[in-house]
Amino acid sequence: MHFYLISDNIDTIVGMRLAGIDGVLVHEDEEVRNALSEVMEMEDVAVILMTERLVKLCPELVYDLKLNRQRPLIVEIPDRHGNGRAKDSITKYVRDAIGVKI
């Protein structure tokens, strides 16, 4: 099983390739959707790494895949510009997943 990167930043792509992780560079909403659909069909990919900016382009699709598919795992990563998450992002994810306000 492999990791695969979907990034909007060439520096992130280069850094991950040095670690042996292949990936694709995308910038637009449609490109992200196409890349995700292609990677979701790859049998040897266990984890998809996505930069936070790209997740923000199509959050409904990403969260739907996270909640309804067992494989591959989708992990949001910060790019070289830092972490753009709100302080309660994990709480929001849990609330969306189980439907209970915590």
Side-chain angles (χ1 to χ4, degrees), residues 15-83:
M16 291 296 184
R17 283 197 179 143
L18 289 172
I21 299 173
D22 288 326
V24 64
L25 182 67
V26 296
H27 295 286
E28 302 297 326
D29 177 76
E30 192 62 32
E31 292 174 322
V32 175
R33 292 176 185 277
N34 291 339
L36 262 175
S37 66
E38 288 177 21
V39 176
M40 294 299 286
E41 299 305 318
M42 294 179 181
E43 293 294 324
D44 63 336
V45 174
V47 179
I48 299 172
L49 303 172
M50 289 184 68
T51 55
E52 290 175 336
R53 285 186 187 178
L54 294 182
V55 172
K56 288 179 184 177
L57 287 179
C58 53
E60 70 289 338
L61 174 62
V62 173
Y63 291 124
D64 180 58
L65 292 172
K66 282 183 172 185
L67 294 172
N68 297 313
R69 299 275 303 255
Q70 291 183 349
R71 190 206 58 79
L73 175 67
I74 300 174
V75 178
E76 298 174 52
I77 60 170
D79 62 12
R80 68 185 178 107
H81 300 292
N83 189 338

